[in-house]
Amino acid sequence: MPSRYLMLLLSSFLATFVLSKVLLSVIGQSKVAIKPELLGTQAEKQGTPVIGGIAFCMGTLLASFLDPALLESGVVHPLLALLLFALIGFIDDRMKSRSSNGDGLSSLLKLALQCAAAMVMLLLLYNRNLLDTYLDIGPFGLELGVWYYGFACMYLLYFVNAVNITDGLDALAAGSAMPLLALLLLLAHRSGISASPALSGSLLAFLVFNKKPAKYFMGDCGSHALGGYIAVSALLMGYEVVMFLAGGLFLVELATSLIQIISIRRFGRKVFTIAPLHHAYEQKGVAEGRIVSSFILVSWAFALLSLLISR
């Protein structure tokens, strides 16, 4: 097991590193525009290519072909989710690259595509009898029966959008996802389930290029892929609640955005100067590096706490 993990970590790191170099040399600058409300703090990021998600998804895929456990459910199905949701994000990124104001897919169309992808994944897992409809809630439990599949669809949508919203500062989304990927590997090892560290190795290489000042961004392609991978892994292992708690930082980021939207539409005023939370701190003058490092530490704390309370 240790030799397999080390091989996959190294191969995915190297594959993503080389792909990143190649893509950066070919793509150069991007035409993606920075949102007008962020120009005051992120004007210097204008033109940064949005190819990081492509790089680490391809790197993960290439390394996974070397995995002797590739066809085991805990490896192949999260990988399929990564690719399926990455495709939705890629379409959105391409549309943004052709837009003068940074707009991509409409919210409703993006949600519809996410729902379709979630249903495809759940149908696949259902047909292979890989999901347990019993929800483990610490000392308690809840048998959801057929309602579990509605819950699982919402779970997938939650993680995909929460990671997507968190992707707003250099290294923030990837750095905050690393603790969850590490936790998934620990939980899989504890449960005797095959899991792959390939995505972790790819993200480490991605962070070499995405740390401030970022040479590229992951875009929706990367954030959708990350969210889909984490959610499907948690569903397969039956650690839905544990991983939800471990992703507490993503919950906070998503919640601030939802609160802001509801408040503006319902009451005509803002709760935060800007949402999500990382941009609010940014506009208050907190250095980007300090925000990112603090948020990543919080993510590690959530993951550690979730590990301690998991069974």
Side-chain angles (χ1 to χ4, degrees):
M1 182 68 71
S3 60
R4 170 179 167 262
Y5 274 28
L6 182 60
M7 180 270 291
L8 289 170
L9 279 170
L10 289 175
S11 58
S12 59
F13 180 92
L14 290 173
T16 301
F17 187 88
V18 172
L19 284 167
S20 297
K21 285 285 191 180
V22 172
L23 287 171
L24 284 170
S25 66
V26 172
I27 299 297
Q29 280 202 323
S30 167
K31 295 181 180 179
V32 173
I34 300 297
K35 291 284 188 180
E37 62 268 25
L38 297 176
L39 283 175
T41 55
Q42 298 194 359
E44 76 281 359
K45 298 184 181 186
Q46 193 93 14
T48 303
V50 185
I51 54 175
I54 299 171
F56 74 69
C57 286
M58 291 178 61
T60 300
L61 179 62
L62 290 174
S64 295
F65 287 136
L66 304 174
D67 191 352
L70 174 60
L71 296 182
E72 296 191 23
S73 62
V75 177
V76 68
H77 292 104
L79 183 61
L80 288 173
L82 177 135
L83 296 175
L84 185 57
F85 282 99
L87 177 59
I88 297 172
F90 175 76
I91 294 170
D92 193 35
D93 289 336
R94 288 292 294 170
M95 290 186 66
K96 288 175 180 175
S97 70
R98 299 173 181 178
S99 169
S100 60
N101 59 3
D103 287 338
L105 292 168
S106 68
S107 298
L108 285 178
L109 180 54
K110 184 187 291 188
L111 181 60
L113 291 173
Q114 291 170 351
C115 288
M119 287 187 284
V120 167
M121 283 305 308
L122 292 175
L123 183 61
L124 177 61
L125 298 178
Y126 171 79
N127 285 336
R128 300 200 174 191
N129 197 30
L130 293 173
L131 295 177
D132 187 351
T133 58
Y134 180 84
L135 192 62
D136 188 1
I137 312 175
F140 310 102
L142 186 62
E143 175 56 56
L144 296 179
V146 69
W147 297 103
Y148 177 84
Y149 299 98
F151 160 79
C153 184
M154 294 298 295
Y155 192 84
L156 264 163
L157 295 178
Y158 160 73
F159 261 107
V160 167
N161 286 288
V163 177
N164 183 38
I165 284 171
T166 305
D167 180 34
L169 299 176
D170 296 350
L172 178 57
S176 300
M178 286 298 293
L180 277 72
L181 295 177
L183 179 59
L184 282 171
L185 290 174
L186 288 172
L187 293 174
H189 181 69
R190 176 198 289 180
S191 304
I193 301 170
S194 291
S196 176
L199 181 54
S200 298
S202 293
L203 276 189
L204 287 173
F206 167 82
L207 285 168
V208 172
F209 298 92
N210 187 238
K211 66 182 180 181
K212 187 176 177 62
K215 294 180 175 63
Y216 60 31
F217 301 142
M218 70 166 64
D220 277 29
C221 175
S223 60
H224 277 57
L226 271 178
Y229 184 96
I230 292 169
V232 168
S233 297
L235 292 171
L236 279 169
M237 291 193 289
Y239 282 112
E240 300 95 339
V241 176
V242 172
M243 293 307 299
F244 178 78
L245 295 175
L249 176 71
F250 296 117
L251 175 61
V252 171
E253 289 276 78
L254 181 62
T256 55
S257 288
L258 289 177
I259 290 170
Q260 186 85 319
I261 291 170
I262 293 170
S263 180
I264 290 174
R265 292 182 179 177
R266 180 68 178 84
F267 304 107
R269 58 187 177 85
K270 296 180 178 180
V271 175
F272 308 98
T273 54
I274 191 173
L277 189 61
H278 59 261
H279 285 319
Y281 279 115
E282 188 180 26
Q283 289 206 344
K284 286 182 178 293
V286 182
E288 181 175 352
R290 184 177 177 184
I291 297 170
V292 171
S293 59
S294 299
F295 276 39
I296 291 175
L297 283 175
V298 169
S299 187
W300 276 107
F302 274 118
L304 179 59
L305 177 62
S306 300
L307 177 63
L308 293 175
I309 66 175
S310 66
R311 295 188 297 170

